Amino acid sequence: MGGIQIGGRTVGGDAPCFIIAEGGLNHNGDPVLAARLIAAAAECGADAIKFQTYTTEELFPPDHPDFTRFQKHRFSRETYLDLQRTAADHGIILLSTPFDETSADLLESLPVPAFKIGSGELTHRAFLKYLASQGKPLILSTGMSTWDEVDHAVRAIEETGNSALVLLHCVSAYPCPLEEVNLRRLTALRARYPFPAGFSDHTESDVAAVAAVALGACVIEKHFTLSRHLPGWDHFFSYDPEQMKRYVKAIRDTEKALGASHKDITPSEKPIERIARRAIYARVPLKAGESINIHNIIIRRPAGPLGASQVDSILGRVLLHDLPAGTPLQLSDFEPE
């Protein structure tokens, strides 16, 4: 599972976890609030901030109760360009989730470096193919789905020749109870498909993200707001800046703790090693010409020239000179073999 490139960042492989602050519609249709979200997400340490782009008529009929509210939360291409410049100024990547082909075309014209696809579109295979055919990396959430549905979605994307795909384990509940997170599905995603896997986190806890990173998540997505008290759909379960800073730190600390798989002595262990490891000492006064046996030596702390693991190699060897009791033994004390 090699990495893919999104906005100059490597996602997957051995790269650090790619953290997306999901701004969604938490800008409430206000470009100024959206710009503040971008700046705050960057300050929190997120790698990207993501919004949502749609054509209202493609989502709802005009008489739908949500039509007017959604219509007020749309941004024009010019607004997105301004927000993209704001993101660049703050060193953070701007992404958005398209919900229809027209919106995808708008994002492509900016351009955005990747498409994030929500769980609701997982079974819309024609749309998946349309997005995949643009040749951009895709990040696909897999909430509300069965393995068979994910298989079909992956196959639809692969049929376009686009293999730059990240699959996100997701539970489409807002918020999601911890007992329904089922993070072992992330492990199953990694085993089932040859693509990097991550986690779209709808819980109200840091625990799930920490566990997901420990299980190999290369992307973490978390809803983000400037205040959980703002009016709107997602603010109440989104993380505010103080929470997001803590969240990002928890992820980065987890990565530090995971470290490498090879086994060696760490720098911080070296002083303890010298204290806690045992060496071979003379238990009693030893005379030149005397042979070493298990009765005239003792294995004790601290570490010395001959470690405890070398006992068998010196048993029966003959001393060249006298040694007082308590002397640490070393190879130069013995006649050559």
Side-chain angles (χ1 to χ4, degrees):
M1 296 183 187
I4 63 175
Q5 294 294 312
I6 296 180
R9 311 281 182 91
T10 300
V11 178
D14 295 326
C17 184
F18 188 74
I19 302 174
I20 302 172
E22 163 63 302
L25 300 180
N26 283 347
H27 50 66
N28 289 352
D30 181 357
V32 174
L33 184 58
R36 291 175 59 200
L37 276 167
I38 291 170
E43 185 178 351
C44 290
D47 298 292
I49 182 161
K50 188 184 77 64
F51 297 121
Q52 297 175 5
T53 307
Y54 52 85
T55 304
T56 317
E57 293 80 4
E58 296 291 326
L59 277 180
F60 308 108
D63 59 350
H64 191 280
D66 284 333
F67 184 91
T68 301
R69 284 208 300 169
F70 270 79
Q71 185 73 359
K72 291 178 180 178
H73 284 67
R74 292 181 61 197
F75 282 154
S76 67
R77 181 175 184 274
E78 290 68 28
T79 296
Y80 275 118
L81 285 170
D82 287 340
L83 295 176
Q84 196 172 51
R85 284 188 285 268
T86 300
D89 290 342
H90 287 87
I92 192 171
I93 296 168
L94 179 68
L95 299 174
S96 189
T97 295
F99 286 83
D100 53 79
E101 288 83 352
T102 301
S103 298
D105 292 344
L106 184 157
L107 295 173
E108 169 64 20
S109 74
L110 298 178
V112 294
F115 288 130
K116 166 67 203 309
I117 309 170
S119 297
E121 276 55 65
L122 184 133
T123 58
H124 191 350
R125 289 193 282 276
F127 185 48
L128 296 181
K129 286 189 172 187
Y130 185 84
L131 294 176
S133 68
Q134 308 303 311
K136 292 183 180 296
L138 306 176
I139 302 173
L140 174 62
S141 285
T142 60
M144 305 177 293
S145 64
T146 64
W147 286 123
D148 185 61
E149 289 172 330
V150 179
D151 288 345
H152 280 85
V154 169
R155 194 172 304 122
I157 291 168
E158 289 181 315
E159 286 172 357
T160 70
N162 189 339
S163 60
L165 174 63
V166 178
L167 296 170
L168 301 188
H169 168 54
C170 175
V171 179
S172 299
Y174 309 91
C176 174
L178 282 175
E179 58 270 23
E180 293 185 17
V181 175
N182 293 309
L183 279 174
R184 288 189 176 91
R185 292 177 186 168
L186 171 61
T187 303
L189 270 178
R190 299 183 70 215
R192 191 178 182 94
Y193 306 104
F195 304 110
F199 176 47
S200 182
D201 183 6
H202 297 150
T203 70
E204 294 184 283
S205 167
D206 300 352
V207 170
V210 167
V213 172
L215 290 172
C218 68
V219 173
I220 297 288
E221 179 182 66
K222 187 72 169 177
H223 280 255
F224 181 58
T225 180
L226 290 181
S227 171
R228 298 179 69 156
H229 302 293
L230 286 169
W233 295 279
D234 297 340
H235 295 285
F236 77 99
F237 73 92
S238 300
Y239 266 17
D240 64 25
E242 182 178 348
Q243 292 171 308
M244 186 62 83
K245 284 180 183 177
R246 184 192 68 213
Y247 188 77
V248 171
K249 184 178 186 301
I251 290 171
R252 298 306 181 211
D253 285 349
T254 301
E255 290 175 322
K256 291 177 185 176
L258 287 171
S261 59
H262 63 269
K263 178 66 173 166
D264 55 17
I265 301 170
T266 67
S268 61
E269 287 180 310
K270 288 290 187 182
I272 307 302
E273 179 196 17
R274 289 190 289 271
I275 297 169
R277 284 286 171 86
R278 299 189 180 209
I280 306 169
Y281 292 82
R283 181 185 290 274
V284 296
L286 300 174
K287 300 294 184 181
E290 186 174 355
S291 296
I292 297 299
N293 59 63
I294 59 172
H295 302 294
N296 58 16
I297 58 172
I298 184 171
I299 313 301
R300 66 184 182 192
R301 296 177 176 182
L306 294 180
S309 62
Q310 296 172 277
V311 170
D312 290 345
S313 68
I314 65 165
L315 290 176
R317 294 192 65 175
V318 178
L319 287 167
L320 288 171
H321 44 255
D322 296 347
L323 292 175
T327 303
L329 274 61
Q330 50 192 327
L331 289 177
S332 61
D333 293 329
F334 302 104
E335 292 181 356
E337 289 187 300

